[in-house]
Amino acid sequence: MTENQMLAPAPTAEEQQQLDQLYKDFDAEHLIPLWTEIGDLMPMHPKPQAVPHVWRWNTLLPMARRAGDLVPVGRGGERRAISLANPGLGGRPYATPTLWAAIQYLGGHETAPEHRHSQNAFRFVVEGEGVWTVVNGDPVRMSRGDFLLTPGWNFHGHHNETDQPMAWIDGLDIPFVHYTDAAFFEFGTERVTDESTPDISRSERLWSNPGLRPLSGLDNTASSPIGAYRWEHTDRALREQLLLEDEGHPATVHQGHAAVRFVNPTTGGDVMPTIRAQFHRLRPGVRTPPTREVGSSVYQVFEGRGAIEVNGETHTVEKGDLVVVPSWAEWSLLAETQFDLFQFGDQPIMERLHLNRTYIEGTK
Amino acid sequence: MTENQMLAPAPTAEEQQQLDQLYKDFDAEHLIPLWTEIGDLMPMHPKPQAVPHVWRWNTLLPMARRAGDLVPVGRGGERRAISLANPGLGGRPYATPTLWAAIQYLGGHETAPEHRHSQNAFRFVVEGEGVWTVVNGDPVRMSRGDFLLTPGWNFHGHHNETDQPMAWIDGLDIPFVHYTDAAFFEFGTERVTDESTPDISRSERLWSNPGLRPLSGLDNTASSPIGAYRWEHTDRALREQLLLEDEGHPATVHQGHAAVRFVNPTTGGDVMPTIRAQFHRLRPGVRTPPTREVGSSVYQVFEGRGAIEVNGETHTVEKGDLVVVPSWAEWSLLAETQFDLFQFGDQPIMERLHLNRTYIEGTK
Amino acid sequence: MTENQMLAPAPTAEEQQQLDQLYKDFDAEHLIPLWTEIGDLMPMHPKPQAVPHVWRWNTLLPMARRAGDLVPVGRGGERRAISLANPGLGGRPYATPTLWAAIQYLGGHETAPEHRHSQNAFRFVVEGEGVWTVVNGDPVRMSRGDFLLTPGWNFHGHHNETDQPMAWIDGLDIPFVHYTDAAFFEFGTERVTDESTPDISRSERLWSNPGLRPLSGLDNTASSPIGAYRWEHTDRALREQLLLEDEGHPATVHQGHAAVRFVNPTTGGDVMPTIRAQFHRLRPGVRTPPTREVGSSVYQVFEGRGAIEVNGETHTVEKGDLVVVPSWAEWSLLAETQFDLFQFGDQPIMERLHLNRTYIEGTK
Amino acid sequence: MTENQMLAPAPTAEEQQQLDQLYKDFDAEHLIPLWTEIGDLMPMHPKPQAVPHVWRWNTLLPMARRAGDLVPVGRGGERRAISLANPGLGGRPYATPTLWAAIQYLGGHETAPEHRHSQNAFRFVVEGEGVWTVVNGDPVRMSRGDFLLTPGWNFHGHHNETDQPMAWIDGLDIPFVHYTDAAFFEFGTERVTDESTPDISRSERLWSNPGLRPLSGLDNTASSPIGAYRWEHTDRALREQLLLEDEGHPATVHQGHAAVRFVNPTTGGDVMPTIRAQFHRLRPGVRTPPTREVGSSVYQVFEGRGAIEVNGETHTVEKGDLVVVPSWAEWSLLAETQFDLFQFGDQPIMERLHLNRTYIEGTK
């Protein structure tokens, strides 16, 4: 017996027969009663089909290499990307109902051709170098620790300048955009439109100057104009938060837990309308307060060892491992060593639609 | 051969074997390659599974009556609501991927018990009277042409004051909230908390004064505080637009097409964060320009005869008939007589997430 | 000795001589030291030069009539308006540093020619009828209790359709726009562009439908598109608030004190960017809690008898009387009978620039 | 005869006598007619009393030194600041009607005591070093090229760590806050609350990381949380814009004219609600297009030689010189050498109140 169930006297045989006929007639007319569905449709609290799950970097990377040997990259398939398929989501290539997460692999001197799409995309580099992603003609170097943006409807391709392959993580809102029937796609050039390999992209030169906005860029944009958020800045920001905490000043989000959100400098808000991206650093031994929030997240360990506890189960993780935290799951981070994690999620969707809700143990 | 397909020499037998093994290994590790999925996942333009479909009032209402005879209303099933199940959506009770639309039926002197949920809800009355919906303790009369709101997390129940049954249309964002795992639900009282039957609700007395905001209500709210948008106001607004057009002044949205959006008076924006609601009146003979937009809609004819053309197919409709228009379908309204239609859709989701796009024939 | 004064040993005679020379040299170079000015420039709390003051309708109206006999209305002087000159503001025609308030008088069959200007303007009618103000070609009837808008840069003129003169109150941000050097002005036609005399303006027909926004007007506007806020709506809104209070529901701003703000329906915010307008109704015997706020206001009694207490002084007032309340003055309203007051002020300036601050006795 | 003047037959002697009496009676009742004032009050376009004017650094600095010898700094006078008094503003210490600009001078080992006030303040350093400004307990080093913030109601004091005096420019909205009667002031400690002399303030360590927002700072703030915008960042941003231009990419605001706005990273908007601050770099030989805008500005040359043309008059300027540009004056910058200028103005006031208007020669 489900949580929500109609309480009424059992129908007579005749009533049951009429009811059966009614349900058949509903079916013929493409109608479905609420009263038989409400327990599943409208639960007491979110009951995601997506489950918490861990993908190991040690498994992912070798498989990506095998794909590199067997599967060409080019027009048609577009990208040699292998997506995390949440075991609860019925074999769809979805990390969570809204988010796509994949390892992408590009062999030496390979090019992933240019295209553009409504879907918002980013890349995060847990190790390696040598690839430039070219966004609307602006070549952006990809290096360890960098967070790189390709907001919706920007042309982009990747090319590997070196003899060595490189792999990284892609994050997109593919499932959400698919679900909402909002997807557009357009092919671009076969090779990237600019094959130069500058250290710093033009977008960074214009926009990554703290607190300084070019007068040529006074119109706000839906997504961040910064093509790359560099590791040196992220690392310094986190280090400074912990130093400030040491000096007795408010700076960290919890004791021993430094964290930054990647933001759009034209608004101070999330980098893209559907995706939040954050970076966490925990001191050894720190455990964050158990938290639930509406919206799903994917974590990737960048450095260090620790665990993610989700719904009471502890998952020990290390560099490169990816963990999915479904909506309203109770989660906590535990650091064994200094523990650096990249996180992305769909919380901007929830906030913009006023569906967000958060519960943090020990607060009101 | 699909639109997106990897172009490469056919693999050798050995390569094919290795590839088969790789795909098996992917599967075992909950991984799915992009290159086999991209054509479906990332189409050139939206390719909704939902299909255009018409439900006839003449079919719906008798079935609702049969349900009234056979199915009690009360705690558990909560509501005697029968939802439109889009034939393209695999038997889910969804009008579109994001929207729920149902006919709700309440017999004489019946009560639908109080509850609240995250899902945003409204009701629209195409005919009948005698029911009061009680929203957070405020009894709101339901009458022909009225548009009534129950934004997320407001307690609400309905009770029928008369001997006669009444039926109306419910619209909610149930599919969207289910999909995003954002649903919360709470039971309230068995009977409505206020059984009085005022003509005008307290919410209207406070908030339905044009351009006047109570000083006790200066904080903006995510959803409209107005409980009922009355037919007399909607009708007058539409009539005045057509009269102004007759007098040679800009007022209508197209020649011969008057239209209003129901809005939240604290912001001027949509009534609820996920749902847009509008009302249209066409002069006899008018045909609106063919239009595509990202986001799905449901139309209900309120009065008059005409047609909705969707993706080249013409559906003749009359009072009470409901039509679903999926995302990016090309649609046009055609009026035979004066033609009044209520419309609701998920466009606020698209706009808030910058996924909106519109194409209107004859404009840029 | 002022509040702020340099504390230092008295200078020697030689130092004094050098100081005198320095001050002379400052003067020659257009320089002024802060240390001699700070007490006036940067006081502990606002010390307005404007003073609380009452102008009596019984005085204003006869004087306006005399002006009607002696001073023609027409191009050049533009309007037969007589402004309240705050006794503290040195003979400038300013009610407060930011606000202009005047009685305007138009004889039978007279016309005030069309013009437009940056300054935002409104009219409030305490008695009389027979004049139409024509705003961008839209004739707006002026009647007792109506609040009428002419936001910046809209052409407008007035014409009196009757044999009888009519007088009303004008409110503008003339002092503020003059002070900030933001004033533009343009002459229009000698006679109003539309001499028809409809009961209801086109702006009202389009925009004064509660919660209903025309699809032809989806772009937000800096100022309200409503040309007239009619007394019948204001009166009903206030009456309903008091009735709701009687019934035990939250509705009034204080016990026995109903109040509405006139707002822009496209945003829910103030009618114009620089001017707030509100209407108050107090039950007999009610006294509002003593309040201070940054920003200045002008009150006009619409009906009833009572008093305004400002900075400890009680001013008994009745129909038509105008009272100025300077910034940060402590004020309270006291009702002898039912007491209806119109109020306008510059608070939107303070709020938009984050200079607002409010103190209400008995609250935190 | 003014632009706006009542056109009417000359009054008879009797009428003139009655008119004279009316004007006397107006005066007695604190009333002023519009028709005699309108030409001044409501001009065709802004006619500022403030005039364009240049103050020379070579004059200012020696005078500040003399004040340093004669006038102690401390509680009462609070600051040894000498303000620019616009020659058109009748001896008030106002650079423009809304803006205060002053040279502040602090001798070796002197301290300017802590206080706070509603007025928004910044400092800009054209030369020198050795002083730390302490803002809410956070010591902020002041060095050449730095732009430093003290938004309203933050406690702040300054102390000079060295044997050498230091001078810099203060900019505040004192005239505006005085005019609008919005000023509050509070004394703090006699000495600064933290006498340490870190290279980088805590505010910078938390907030000056490009595109990175601390999770401990997710609430937007009315003013920027960054205490210091460092020259190295400003210089690099400008240099990169010119290099990008050299490389053929859009980056500069006009050909040869690089420019950045200092912004609040929580919103992307101006650093403080009432003050805009920008930095310009012109290539040698560049002349910016003649421009008019509502709102006033003060420019200070940081490096190089050139001219500012205002209302047709050319003012040759060099390092440290200050120029006032009143509202709606036509101005243009002309670079002889590479020409670096700091600028601040009141344009946020105009934009937030929808009083802004700009005219740039050669554009629409």
Side-chain angles (χ1 to χ4, degrees):
Chain A
M1 172 162 166
T2 67
E3 222 164 351
N4 294 312
Q5 197 173 36
M6 190 72 69
L7 302 173
T12 65
E14 190 191 337
E15 282 168 349
Q16 188 58 55
Q17 190 179 7
Q18 290 174 329
L19 209 50
D20 291 347
Q21 185 58 44
L22 180 63
Y23 288 170
K24 268 185 212 153
D25 293 348
F26 280 166
D27 197 52
E29 297 291 341
H30 302 291
L31 297 170
I32 300 178
L34 172 62
W35 55 89
T36 61
E37 305 281 321
I38 188 169
D40 169 52
L41 274 182
M42 304 180 80
M44 294 291 120
H45 56 76
K47 297 195 168 165
Q49 295 181 287
V51 295
H53 194 76
V54 182
W55 287 261
R56 302 288 171 189
W57 192 243
N58 287 341
T59 307
L60 288 175
L61 192 57
M63 289 195 137
R65 272 193 209 115
R66 286 166 61 194
D69 293 338
L70 290 167
V71 182
V73 69
R75 185 61 77 221
E78 300 293 304
R79 298 290 184 263
R80 195 188 289 109
I82 306 156
S83 78
L84 313 188
N86 193 292
L89 293 177
R92 297 293 285 156
Y94 296 174
T96 78
T98 54
L99 297 172
W100 164 280
I103 181 169
Q104 185 171 161
Y105 185 89
L106 203 58
H109 299 294
E110 281 190 336
T111 292
E114 293 203 350
H115 60 215
R116 66 177 175 180
H117 41 66
S118 316
Q119 291 86 356
N120 294 292
F122 72 82
R123 328 201 177 283
F124 178 71
V125 183
V126 77
E127 64 183 26
E129 61 184 353
V131 170
W132 270 254
T133 179
V134 181
V135 181
N136 274 340
D138 184 15
V140 186
R141 174 178 52 89
M142 297 178 66
S143 301
R144 171 163 159 78
D146 295 345
F147 169 68
L148 307 121
L149 283 196
T150 315
W153 216 237
N154 287 281
F155 275 114
H156 57 284
H158 321 304
H159 70 121
N160 187 337
E161 267 303 292
T162 72
D163 296 331
Q164 299 304 313
M166 182 177 172
W168 64 85
I169 292 301
D170 284 344
L172 291 96
D173 53 10
I174 290 174
F176 184 80
V177 173
H178 189 260
Y179 168 78
T180 53
D181 293 322
F184 293 85
F185 188 98
E186 207 172 289
F187 292 108
T189 57
E190 287 290 325
R191 297 194 63 78
V192 295
T193 44
D194 185 336
E195 298 196 336
S196 66
T197 57
D199 241 35
I200 302 294
S201 66
R202 302 198 302 267
S203 75
E204 293 164 82
R205 292 161 69 193
L206 254 184
W207 282 102
S208 285
N209 303 296
L212 299 175
R213 187 165 183 168
L215 252 60
S216 54
L218 295 180
D219 291 335
N220 289 355
T221 50
S223 293
S224 174
I226 298 179
Y229 293 74
R230 297 294 173 193
W231 174 242
E232 65 181 285
H233 297 139
T234 306
D235 181 42
R236 186 180 60 209
L238 297 166
R239 196 169 55 236
E240 291 291 355
Q241 286 188 16
L242 292 176
L243 285 170
L244 284 163
E245 187 183 82
D246 284 338
E247 297 165 23
H249 299 296
T252 53
V253 62
H254 306 111
Q255 182 65 31
H257 176 194
V260 290
R261 180 173 296 174
F262 298 98
V263 295
N264 174 351
T266 75
T267 62
D270 283 296
V271 279
M272 299 186 294
T274 54
I275 297 180
R276 172 160 298 164
Q278 303 187 142
F279 209 102
H280 302 266
R281 174 169 293 170
L282 275 69
R283 294 182 196 273
V286 164
R287 180 181 192 270
T288 64
T291 298
R292 292 177 186 275
E293 61 183 332
V294 170
S296 54
S297 286
V298 179
Y299 286 85
Q300 186 177 32
V301 179
F302 180 68
E303 195 63 74
R305 264 194 330 279
I308 303 191
E309 210 176 277
V310 192
N311 286 340
E313 195 171 344
T314 302
H315 306 275
T316 307
V317 283
E318 57 186 12
K319 184 175 151 185
D321 291 352
L322 289 139
V323 187
V324 162
V325 178
S327 183
W328 210 238
E330 188 178 273
W331 60 271
S332 184
L333 306 176
L334 297 89
E336 188 179 337
T337 65
Q338 176 170 303
F339 196 31
D340 279 11
L341 298 106
F342 171 74
Q343 174 203 2
F344 70 100
D346 64 1
Q347 292 79 10
I349 297 174
M350 306 308 159
E351 292 181 7
R352 287 171 187 229
L353 302 176
H354 295 269
L355 294 168
N356 59 311
R357 205 189 268 212
T358 301
Y359 165 78
I360 303 177
E361 197 179 283
T363 63
K364 284 192 294 191
Chain B
M1 175 161 165
T2 66
E3 221 165 351
N4 293 311
Q5 194 171 40
M6 189 72 69
L7 302 173
T12 65
E14 189 191 338
E15 282 169 349
Q16 187 60 55
Q17 191 180 7
Q18 288 175 330
L19 208 51
D20 290 348
Q21 186 58 44
L22 180 63
Y23 287 170
K24 267 187 212 152
D25 293 349
F26 280 166
D27 196 53
E29 295 293 341
H30 301 293
L31 297 171
I32 298 177
L34 173 62
W35 56 87
T36 60
E37 305 282 322
I38 189 171
D40 169 52
L41 273 181
M42 303 179 82
M44 294 292 117
H45 56 76
K47 296 193 169 165
Q49 295 182 287
V51 295
H53 194 77
V54 182
W55 286 260
R56 302 288 170 189
W57 192 242
N58 286 342
T59 307
L60 288 174
L61 192 57
M63 288 195 137
R65 270 192 210 114
R66 284 165 62 193
D69 293 339
L70 291 167
V71 182
V73 69
R75 185 61 78 224
E78 299 293 305
R79 298 293 183 259
R80 195 188 289 108
I82 306 157
S83 77
L84 312 188
N86 192 293
L89 293 176
R92 298 292 286 159
Y94 295 175
T96 79
T98 54
L99 297 173
W100 164 279
I103 181 170
Q104 187 169 160
Y105 186 91
L106 203 59
H109 300 293
E110 282 190 334
T111 293
E114 293 203 350
H115 60 215
R116 65 176 176 178
H117 42 67
S118 315
Q119 291 85 356
N120 294 292
F122 71 83
R123 326 198 179 285
F124 177 72
V125 183
V126 76
E127 63 181 31
E129 61 183 356
V131 170
W132 270 253
T133 179
V134 181
V135 181
N136 276 339
D138 184 16
V140 185
R141 175 178 50 89
M142 297 176 68
S143 301
R144 170 161 159 80
D146 294 344
F147 170 68
L148 307 123
L149 284 196
T150 317
W153 216 239
N154 286 281
F155 275 115
H156 57 285
H158 320 303
H159 70 121
N160 188 336
E161 267 302 293
T162 71
D163 296 331
Q164 298 304 315
M166 183 180 171
W168 62 85
I169 292 301
D170 283 344
L172 291 95
D173 52 12
I174 290 175
F176 184 80
V177 173
H178 188 261
Y179 164 76
T180 54
D181 293 321
F184 294 85
F185 188 99
E186 208 171 287
F187 292 108
T189 56
E190 288 289 329
R191 296 194 64 77
V192 295
T193 44
D194 186 334
E195 299 197 335
S196 67
T197 56
D199 239 35
I200 303 293
S201 66
R202 301 198 303 266
S203 74
E204 293 163 82
R205 292 162 69 192
L206 254 184
W207 284 101
S208 287
N209 303 295
L212 299 175
R213 188 164 182 168
L215 253 62
S216 56
L218 295 181
D219 291 334
N220 289 355
T221 49
S223 294
S224 173
I226 298 178
Y229 293 73
R230 296 296 174 190
W231 174 242
E232 65 181 286
H233 297 137
T234 306
D235 181 41
R236 187 180 59 209
L238 297 166
R239 197 170 53 234
E240 290 291 355
Q241 287 188 16
L242 292 177
L243 286 170
L244 284 162
E245 188 184 79
D246 283 338
E247 298 165 22
H249 299 295
T252 53
V253 62
H254 305 111
Q255 182 67 27
H257 175 193
V260 290
R261 180 172 296 173
F262 298 99
V263 295
N264 175 350
T266 75
T267 63
D270 282 296
V271 279
M272 300 187 294
T274 54
I275 296 180
R276 172 160 299 163
Q278 303 186 142
F279 209 102
H280 303 265
R281 172 169 295 168
L282 277 69
R283 295 183 196 270
V286 165
R287 180 179 191 267
T288 64
T291 298
R292 292 177 185 276
E293 63 183 331
V294 170
S296 52
S297 286
V298 179
Y299 287 85
Q300 187 177 34
V301 179
F302 181 66
E303 193 65 73
R305 265 193 329 280
I308 304 190
E309 208 177 276
V310 192
N311 287 340
E313 197 171 344
T314 303
H315 305 274
T316 307
V317 283
E318 57 184 14
K319 183 175 153 184
D321 292 352
L322 289 138
V323 186
V324 162
V325 178
S327 184
W328 210 239
E330 188 178 273
W331 59 271
S332 183
L333 306 176
L334 298 89
E336 188 178 337
T337 65
Q338 175 170 303
F339 197 29
D340 279 10
L341 298 106
F342 171 74
Q343 174 202 3
F344 71 101
D346 63 2
Q347 293 79 10
I349 297 174
M350 306 306 160
E351 293 181 6
R352 287 171 186 229
L353 303 175
H354 295 268
L355 293 169
N356 58 311
R357 204 188 269 212
T358 301
Y359 165 78
I360 303 178
E361 197 178 284
T363 63
K364 286 187 296 188
Chain C
M1 174 160 165
T2 66
E3 224 166 347
N4 293 311
Q5 195 173 38
M6 190 71 70
L7 301 173
T12 64
E14 190 191 337
E15 283 170 348
Q16 187 60 52
Q17 192 180 5
Q18 288 174 329
L19 208 52
D20 290 349
Q21 185 59 43
L22 180 63
Y23 287 170
K24 268 186 211 153
D25 293 349
F26 280 165
D27 197 52
E29 297 291 342
H30 300 293
L31 296 170
I32 299 177
L34 172 63
W35 56 86
T36 60
E37 305 283 321
I38 190 171
D40 170 51
L41 275 181
M42 303 180 80
M44 293 292 118
H45 56 76
K47 296 194 168 165
Q49 294 181 288
V51 296
H53 194 77
V54 183
W55 287 261
R56 302 289 172 188
W57 192 243
N58 287 340
T59 308
L60 287 173
L61 192 56
M63 288 194 137
R65 270 191 210 116
R66 285 165 62 193
D69 293 339
L70 291 166
V71 181
V73 69
R75 184 61 79 221
E78 300 292 306
R79 298 293 184 260
R80 194 187 289 110
I82 306 157
S83 79
L84 313 188
N86 192 292
L89 292 177
R92 299 291 287 157
Y94 294 175
T96 79
T98 53
L99 299 172
W100 163 279
I103 181 171
Q104 185 170 159
Y105 186 90
L106 203 59
H109 299 294
E110 281 189 336
T111 292
E114 292 203 351
H115 60 215
R116 65 176 176 179
H117 41 68
S118 316
Q119 291 86 357
N120 294 292
F122 72 81
R123 325 195 182 285
F124 179 70
V125 182
V126 76
E127 64 181 29
E129 62 182 355
V131 169
W132 271 255
T133 179
V134 181
V135 181
N136 275 339
D138 184 17
V140 187
R141 174 178 53 89
M142 298 177 67
S143 301
R144 170 162 160 80
D146 294 344
F147 169 68
L148 308 123
L149 284 197
T150 316
W153 217 238
N154 286 282
F155 275 113
H156 58 283
H158 320 304
H159 70 121
N160 189 334
E161 267 302 292
T162 70
D163 297 330
Q164 297 304 313
M166 182 179 170
W168 64 85
I169 291 302
D170 283 344
L172 292 95
D173 52 12
I174 291 175
F176 184 78
V177 173
H178 188 261
Y179 163 75
T180 53
D181 293 322
F184 294 85
F185 189 98
E186 207 171 286
F187 292 107
T189 55
E190 288 289 327
R191 297 194 64 78
V192 294
T193 44
D194 185 334
E195 298 197 336
S196 67
T197 56
D199 240 35
I200 302 293
S201 66
R202 301 198 303 265
S203 74
E204 294 162 82
R205 292 161 68 192
L206 254 184
W207 283 101
S208 287
N209 303 297
L212 299 176
R213 188 165 182 168
L215 251 62
S216 55
L218 294 180
D219 291 334
N220 289 355
T221 49
S223 293
S224 174
I226 299 178
Y229 294 74
R230 296 295 173 192
W231 174 241
E232 64 181 286
H233 298 139
T234 306
D235 181 43
R236 186 181 59 208
L238 297 166
R239 196 170 56 234
E240 290 292 354
Q241 286 188 15
L242 292 176
L243 286 170
L244 284 164
E245 188 184 82
D246 284 338
E247 297 165 23
H249 299 297
T252 54
V253 62
H254 306 111
Q255 181 68 27
H257 175 193
V260 290
R261 180 173 297 174
F262 299 99
V263 295
N264 175 350
T266 74
T267 63
D270 283 296
V271 278
M272 301 186 291
T274 54
I275 296 180
R276 172 159 299 163
Q278 303 186 142
F279 208 103
H280 303 265
R281 173 170 293 170
L282 278 69
R283 293 182 197 271
V286 165
R287 180 180 191 268
T288 65
T291 298
R292 293 177 185 275
E293 62 182 332
V294 169
S296 53
S297 286
V298 179
Y299 286 85
Q300 185 176 35
V301 178
F302 181 68
E303 194 65 72
R305 264 192 331 278
I308 302 190
E309 208 177 276
V310 192
N311 288 339
E313 196 170 345
T314 303
H315 306 274
T316 306
V317 283
E318 57 183 15
K319 182 176 154 184
D321 292 352
L322 290 138
V323 186
V324 162
V325 178
S327 184
W328 210 239
E330 188 178 276
W331 61 271
S332 183
L333 305 176
L334 298 89
E336 189 178 336
T337 65
Q338 175 171 303
F339 196 30
D340 279 11
L341 299 105
F342 171 75
Q343 175 203 1
F344 70 101
D346 63 4
Q347 292 79 10
I349 298 174
M350 306 306 160
E351 292 181 7
R352 286 170 188 231
L353 302 175
H354 294 269
L355 293 168
N356 58 310
R357 205 188 267 213
T358 300
Y359 166 78
I360 303 177
E361 198 179 283
T363 63
K364 286 191 294 190
Chain D
M1 174 163 162
T2 67
E3 225 166 348
N4 294 310
Q5 197 174 35
M6 189 70 70
L7 302 172
T12 63
E14 190 191 336
E15 282 169 350
Q16 187 59 53
Q17 191 180 5
Q18 288 174 331
L19 208 52
D20 292 347
Q21 184 58 44
L22 180 63
Y23 286 171
K24 267 187 212 154
D25 293 349
F26 279 166
D27 197 53
E29 294 293 342
H30 300 292
L31 296 171
I32 299 178
L34 172 62
W35 56 86
T36 61
E37 305 282 321
I38 190 171
D40 170 52
L41 274 183
M42 303 181 81
M44 293 292 119
H45 56 75
K47 297 195 168 165
Q49 294 182 287
V51 295
H53 194 76
V54 183
W55 287 261
R56 302 288 171 189
W57 192 243
N58 287 341
T59 308
L60 288 174
L61 192 58
M63 288 194 136
R65 273 194 208 111
R66 285 165 64 192
D69 293 339
L70 290 165
V71 181
V73 69
R75 185 61 78 223
E78 299 292 308
R79 297 294 184 261
R80 195 189 289 109
I82 306 157
S83 78
L84 312 188
N86 191 293
L89 292 176
R92 297 294 285 160
Y94 295 174
T96 79
T98 54
L99 298 172
W100 164 279
I103 181 170
Q104 186 170 160
Y105 186 91
L106 203 60
H109 299 292
E110 281 189 337
T111 292
E114 292 202 352
H115 60 215
R116 66 175 175 177
H117 42 67
S118 316
Q119 291 86 357
N120 294 293
F122 72 82
R123 326 196 180 284
F124 178 71
V125 182
V126 76
E127 63 181 30
E129 60 182 357
V131 169
W132 270 252
T133 179
V134 181
V135 180
N136 274 341
D138 184 15
V140 186
R141 174 177 53 88
M142 297 176 67
S143 301
R144 170 161 161 78
D146 295 345
F147 170 67
L148 308 123
L149 283 197
T150 316
W153 217 236
N154 286 281
F155 274 114
H156 58 285
H158 321 305
H159 70 119
N160 188 336
E161 268 301 293
T162 72
D163 296 332
Q164 298 304 313
M166 183 179 171
W168 64 84
I169 292 302
D170 283 345
L172 292 95
D173 53 11
I174 291 175
F176 185 80
V177 174
H178 188 260
Y179 171 79
T180 53
D181 293 322
F184 294 85
F185 188 100
E186 208 171 286
F187 292 108
T189 56
E190 288 288 329
R191 297 195 64 78
V192 293
T193 44
D194 186 333
E195 298 197 335
S196 66
T197 57
D199 241 35
I200 302 293
S201 67
R202 302 198 303 266
S203 75
E204 292 163 82
R205 293 162 67 191
L206 255 183
W207 284 101
S208 287
N209 303 297
L212 300 175
R213 188 165 182 166
L215 252 62
S216 55
L218 294 180
D219 291 334
N220 289 355
T221 50
S223 295
S224 174
I226 298 178
Y229 293 73
R230 296 295 174 191
W231 174 241
E232 63 181 290
H233 297 138
T234 306
D235 181 42
R236 187 180 59 209
L238 297 167
R239 198 169 53 234
E240 291 292 355
Q241 286 188 16
L242 292 177
L243 286 170
L244 284 164
E245 189 184 79
D246 284 338
E247 298 165 22
H249 299 296
T252 54
V253 62
H254 306 109
Q255 181 67 27
H257 177 192
V260 289
R261 181 173 294 173
F262 299 99
V263 295
N264 175 351
T266 74
T267 62
D270 284 294
V271 278
M272 299 187 293
T274 54
I275 296 180
R276 172 160 299 164
Q278 303 187 144
F279 208 102
H280 303 265
R281 174 170 293 171
L282 277 68
R283 294 184 197 271
V286 165
R287 180 179 192 268
T288 63
T291 299
R292 293 176 184 276
E293 63 183 331
V294 169
S296 54
S297 286
V298 179
Y299 287 85
Q300 185 177 34
V301 179
F302 181 66
E303 195 65 73
R305 266 192 329 280
I308 303 190
E309 209 176 276
V310 193
N311 287 340
E313 196 171 344
T314 304
H315 305 274
T316 307
V317 283
E318 57 183 16
K319 183 175 152 183
D321 292 352
L322 290 138
V323 186
V324 162
V325 178
S327 183
W328 210 238
E330 189 180 273
W331 61 271
S332 185
L333 305 176
L334 296 88
E336 189 179 336
T337 65
Q338 177 171 301
F339 196 31
D340 279 10
L341 298 105
F342 171 75
Q343 172 202 4
F344 70 100
D346 63 0
Q347 292 79 9
I349 298 173
M350 305 308 159
E351 292 181 6
R352 288 172 187 229
L353 302 175
H354 294 269
L355 294 168
N356 58 311
R357 205 188 268 213
T358 301
Y359 166 78
I360 304 177
E361 199 179 282
T363 63
K364 286 189 295 188

